[in-house]
Amino acid sequence: LICDIVMLGRSALLTAGRRFPTRDLCAATHFPMKYILVTGGVISGIGKGIIASSIGTILKSCGLRVTAIKIDPYINIDAGTFSPYEHGEVFVLNDGGEVDLDLGNYERFLDINLYKDNNITTGKIYQHVINKERHGDYLGKTVQVVPHITDVVQEWVMNQAKVPVDSDKKEPQICVIELGGTIGDIEGMPFVEAFRQFQFKAKRENFCNIHVSLVPQPNATGEQKTKPTQNSVRALRGLGLSPDLIVCRSTKPIEMAVKEKISMFCHVEPEQVIFIHDVSSTYRVPILLEEQGIIKYFKQRLNLPIDDQPSDLLFKWKKMADRYERLLKICSIALVGKYTKLSDCYASVFKALEHSALAINHKLNLMYIDSIELEHSTEVENPVKYHQAWQKLCKADGILVPGGFGFRGTEGKLQAISWARKKKKPFLGVCLGMQLAVVEFARNCLNWKDANSTEFDPNTKYPVVIDMPEHNPGDMGGTMRLGKRRTVFKTEDSVLRKLYGDEDFVEERHRHRYEVNPELTGCFEERGLKFVGRDTEGSRMEIIELENHPYFVGVQFHPEFSSRPMKPSPPYLGLLLAATGTLSAYLQRGCKLSPR
């Protein structure tokens, strides 16, 4: 009888285990919000964003709901008015927020949709405090950095951490906060002080600080140096924050002796020192972190009800990273733009192309071409550069003209578009790229030689691209058509519609001040340039497709902002498929990728 009872008990436990997996119980458990602050030392641009995103990915793979916040200590209200050479591309969110590119990393890694308030700037904080002061909320008091600014920072973080960012609309359980810049920067001091106070408000078991530092390796000696990290950690401690984990960035794998030295001089256990060396792809970073026991550490340090091993999500990442490194076939895409000196200027475009290339088992070879170098003026001034640029363009399997602002380089872009149209090279124009495709077609197919955008020539005889009626040229910040908008397909005979799964409409993110002139569209359609997608009112042109061309597509929106590693953007996927000569077969299969 006792044996029967024991066997029945075991059977019940096994059944319960099958019905209620540990991860489901973890996800359903209610516990205080956990905050993970990621700071940086020695130099900026060290990879804090990728590390913060990777940590979020690992915790999400353990069944937890994760959100992210980026703090930028500059006084600008948002990133909307920056030149891309300042901080890289301006990333656009569903709600129209123009934010730092690191929020793009968070969205891609975690597959979430963030909001403009997930990007905190000094400008936003001070504006909020000054508005409260004018309203009379501080009546009778002197408004100061401490406590008023620091209090608002803490309140902002606590409130935004609760906002759902997953499709299930459930409140997050983990908030990863990245503090931009480096420890010691004067503009970041109020935020460091805010988190010094916040660690006590949140309690130790709910707050964790990860410090990302550099371990340089001078060529002269070849020795990995720990002194910059020691000094950085000392500066952080002097400001009242002690790192729980020290993530060391390096070009090559760090030796164990270096790890032990950092552990000893920075007053942490050896397992609290994590190494992240340069890798072939960012998909490998979460794997490196997991291999060094970060899940077990978070479980103990933050008292998380999770297993020591990640779920299938991280195994998918590992499989994707392994596949990325084994790719043999190469697809070359020419990106013709004006901000080609810094790759971060087109970070989302590069990632969208990479996601699409990976989906069709190809390695991406992205060739950046400065559009000015394709112009006749360069041929006169620097013939070598001119011919090198055209040689690159001719070698490419496909051509991409991304968004941008201003007249500089537009003639070179028009030359590239014209070449793609005439030579039947796969082409994708995004935002300004689509507008210039319309201008090129008007000049060379409709014989409107003076056709232009009113952005470049306000008095043009043929204004094929015009400024939007609601655009206010007085203020530059936040006055564009921004955020997620609906585009309705006007015909079933559309390549892009098929790539989107034959949907009646799509919702993508926008960022533009100018649009195709709706009064002239009839002339284009008569000659084969079809406006297959429009806004919900039918007055704004959103998608163009050229007849009798393998792939000549332009979109007014920015599909790259919605691309994910395991869910590539359809317009970019179409470009890669056309560039590899597999688009027709893909469409015949009902838009299903070949087995990998």
Side-chain angles (χ1 to χ4, degrees), residues 436-585:
L436 290 177
V438 172
V439 172
E440 189 278 331
F441 193 88
R443 289 181 183 181
N444 298 319
C445 296
L446 301 183
N447 207 29
W448 297 351
K449 296 303 179 185
D450 296 328
N452 213 332
S453 166
T454 56
E455 180 182 4
F456 313 129
D457 182 5
N459 302 314
T460 177
K461 184 179 177 182
Y462 298 104
V464 294
V465 177
I466 58 174
D467 60 329
M468 291 181 288
E470 66 270 32
H471 168 54
N472 177 12
D475 292 330
M476 297 297 287
T479 56
M480 288 185 277
R481 185 169 178 248
L482 294 163
K484 187 166 76 170
R485 312 270 178 156
R486 179 169 292 188
T487 296
V488 181
F489 287 105
K490 295 298 179 183
T491 174
E492 293 184 4
D493 185 22
S494 161
V495 172
L496 210 52
R497 178 172 181 156
K498 291 170 185 173
L499 287 166
Y500 272 104
D502 211 25
E503 298 286 346
D504 292 332
F505 64 87
V506 294
E507 291 183 325
E508 294 280 9
R509 301 175 187 183
H510 293 67
R511 185 178 185 247
H512 63 110
R513 283 195 178 93
Y514 294 83
E515 63 177 345
V516 174
N517 190 341
E519 294 179 4
L520 302 176
T521 55
C523 301
F524 291 92
E525 296 205 316
E526 286 174 7
R527 297 296 298 272
L529 187 68
K530 303 294 184 181
F531 295 92
V532 299
R534 306 190 181 196
D535 71 344
T536 50
E537 295 175 2
S539 58
R540 287 211 162 97
M541 306 303 117
E542 295 280 0
I543 303 171
I544 62 166
E545 291 180 11
L546 182 63
E547 290 181 342
N548 302 317
H549 194 285
Y551 191 82
F552 191 96
V553 173
V555 291
Q556 184 60 73
F557 45 82
H558 289 266
E560 64 269 19
F561 294 143
S562 304
S563 183
R564 302 288 186 264
M566 299 175 196
K567 290 184 284 186
S569 167
Y572 286 91
L573 180 62
L575 176 65
L576 267 292
L577 287 165
T580 55
T582 56
L583 179 60
S584 297

Side-chain angles (χ1 to χ4, degrees), residues 7 46 89 96 173 199 285 364 381 401 438 441 449 472 583 595:
M7 292 301 292
I46 201 171
E89 75 168 4
Q173 298 163 311
Q199 64 185 331
V285 178
L364 175 68
E381 296 167 9
V401 178
V438 172
F441 193 88
K449 296 303 179 185
N472 177 12
L583 179 60

